[in-house]
Amino acid sequence: MPEITAILNTYRRPWALPLQYEAIKSQTLTPKHIMIWQNKGNDKLPLEPLDRNIYLKEDLCANISTSNLGVWARFAYALNATTEYVCIFDDDTIPGPGWFQNCVDTMNTHEGLLGTNGVIFKDLDYMKYDQAGWANPNEEVKEVDIVGQAWFLKRKWLGEFWKEAPIPS
């Protein structure tokens, strides 16, 4: 069985966290670990009003930043995962019950960064594009330029996020 770490991100939708947690625990292929990244938002810290029992589970750890470290901080936090795969969710994304199983099955035939929504740019001005995924449902695997809302990938690929672009010659 492949091991997965799910990373939940809280920012402005604290009400979604318990729904995400339950959806992840109800997967047909359950993750080994669940990690929560709390990036300080403009709102009151969302961990406070939630049921504290959700944070006392052995498969869960939470990290609260007192600063807003930006969208990429949750990907840096994912470097703490020890499993083969990681899946990072936006705070408004609740996966269907077969999400992880579908991702693992897809990785076996089309290895790559998988997401719930993909953007395919039509030209270099990036203003014209098509979408695949929840915004434009598709049954087949589609190659896209960027993914969003959820990112499923091999943990060892996270280092690529932090590499510098080559210096032009």
Side-chain angles (χ1 to χ4, degrees):
M1 278 303 228
E3 292 185 343
I4 302 165
T5 297
I7 292 131
L8 305 178
N9 168 56
T10 66
Y11 183 61
R12 293 195 176 210
R13 297 173 184 93
W15 53 266
L17 187 58
L19 299 171
Q20 286 180 309
Y21 180 80
E22 290 307 318
I24 287 169
K25 292 302 288 182
S26 300
Q27 291 289 303
T28 55
L29 177 60
T30 56
K32 181 175 183 180
H33 301 291
I34 300 171
M35 297 166 56
I36 298 173
W37 174 254
Q38 161 67 62
N39 210 15
K40 182 180 179 187
N42 296 330
D43 300 332
K44 183 176 160 185
L45 287 176
L47 295 183
E48 292 308 315
L50 300 176
D51 179 358
R52 283 292 183 183
N53 292 328
I54 201 171
Y55 304 107
L56 301 177
K57 313 230 182 234
E58 64 185 43
D59 64 346
L60 183 82
C61 67
N63 192 332
I64 302 172
S65 173
T66 56
S67 300
N68 183 343
L69 299 176
V71 67
W72 297 107
R74 58 192 161 164
F75 293 91
Y77 181 52
L79 289 165
N80 292 293
T82 58
T83 55
E84 179 181 5
Y85 295 106
V86 295
C87 187
I88 302 159
F89 292 96
D90 272 356
D91 63 351
D92 62 350
T93 302
I94 300 171
W99 168 252
F100 290 136
Q101 185 64 59
N102 185 47
C103 287
V104 169
D105 291 347
T106 301
M107 285 292 241
N108 290 331
T109 60
H110 297 80
E111 188 177 74
L113 172 63
L114 306 176
T116 56
N117 192 41
V119 174
I120 305 162
F121 295 117
K122 292 183 173 189
D123 56 36
L124 294 179
D125 73 6
Y126 305 114
M127 299 308 289
K128 297 176 187 159
Y129 57 87
D130 289 327
Q131 290 183 293
W134 65 260
N136 187 14
N138 54 290
E139 293 296 320
E140 71 286 344
V141 176
K142 268 203 164 155
E143 186 173 333
V144 299
D145 295 308
I146 58 173
V147 299
Q149 281 65 53
W151 297 261
F152 186 94
L153 63 149
K154 289 188 174 186
R155 189 254 175 244
K156 68 182 181 181
W157 296 344
L158 284 169
E160 298 299 318
F161 282 54
W162 315 114
K163 288 192 175 178
E164 293 181 36
I167 298 173
S169 48

